[in-house]
Amino acid sequence: MIFSRTLTGLTLCALLAAPALAQVSDVKVEGAWARASVPGQKGTGAFMKLTAPQGARLVSASSPAAGVTEVHEMKVDGDVMRMRAVPVLDLPAGKAVELKPGGFHVMLLDLKAPLAKDSTVPLTLTFKDAKGVESKLELTVPVAASAPGAQPGAAAPAHGHKH
């Protein structure tokens, strides 16, 4: 009986000390795509619309196709377009947040091979909810020269920055 209580106590302590297990995310993803790259190009962007029904934060992204995967923001500072990594991206409850060229996006850096048009790239997004519970969403993102539904021959705005 003492052994049983000790084992139960140790099991409970181990469960309480363990980090929250990752769950499958309930964040909705629409229109995901990654921009095709050419040989020698070391980075490109992935774009999509994210909607979190209960609100969440995008805290990281990863892909086996890239040495580094980060959430970035592009914005105009004076007359200069600047891009920087952001530690988190807030997803307000029920409100779509668009990751698009010239704004927030997922940056795939140190590409291991070019991303060819009409191929796909695996991408994992990690979210945290208001309680700090982490969830992951694994995507297979189509690679295209421009956003799905864009007019043929129309290029996404680069704003002087190549992805």
Side-chain angles (χ1 to χ4, degrees):
M1 183 132 156
I2 294 174
F3 176 75
S4 176
R5 284 186 191 159
T6 303
L7 185 57
T8 302
L10 289 174
T11 302
L12 183 58
C13 287
L15 288 174
L16 292 174
L21 296 176
Q23 301 176 7
V24 175
S25 174
D26 64 348
V27 174
K28 180 179 175 184
V29 177
E30 296 176 282
W33 68 286
R35 183 172 288 136
S37 63
V38 296
Q41 186 177 347
K42 290 298 187 184
T44 193
F47 315 97
M48 64 205 72
K49 190 182 296 185
L50 301 173
T51 307
Q54 306 303 317
R57 300 171 91 189
L58 175 60
V59 296
S60 69
S62 63
S63 175
V68 177
T69 307
E70 299 174 332
V71 179
H72 277 205
E73 175 186 28
M74 270 185 132
K75 66 180 184 178
V76 176
D77 183 11
D79 291 338
V80 179
M81 179 65 78
R82 298 192 188 275
M83 183 172 67
R84 67 178 179 91
V86 294
V88 296
L89 177 60
D90 288 322
L91 305 174
K95 183 178 177 190
V97 175
E98 192 168 1
L99 281 65
K100 61 185 179 180
F104 289 108
H105 58 280
V106 174
M107 193 72 196
L108 302 162
L109 300 165
D110 193 17
L111 292 173
K112 296 178 181 175
L115 298 184
K117 181 182 173 198
D118 299 324
S119 67
T120 60
V121 63
L123 184 63
T124 301
L125 304 178
T126 303
F127 303 96
K128 280 193 180 177
D129 67 14
K131 296 177 184 173
V133 176
E134 192 172 277
S135 61
K136 292 187 183 286
L137 186 57
E138 294 188 8
L139 305 170
T140 301
V141 178
V143 177
S146 61
Q151 295 296 322
H159 301 287
H161 179 83
K162 294 182 181 177
H163 276 259

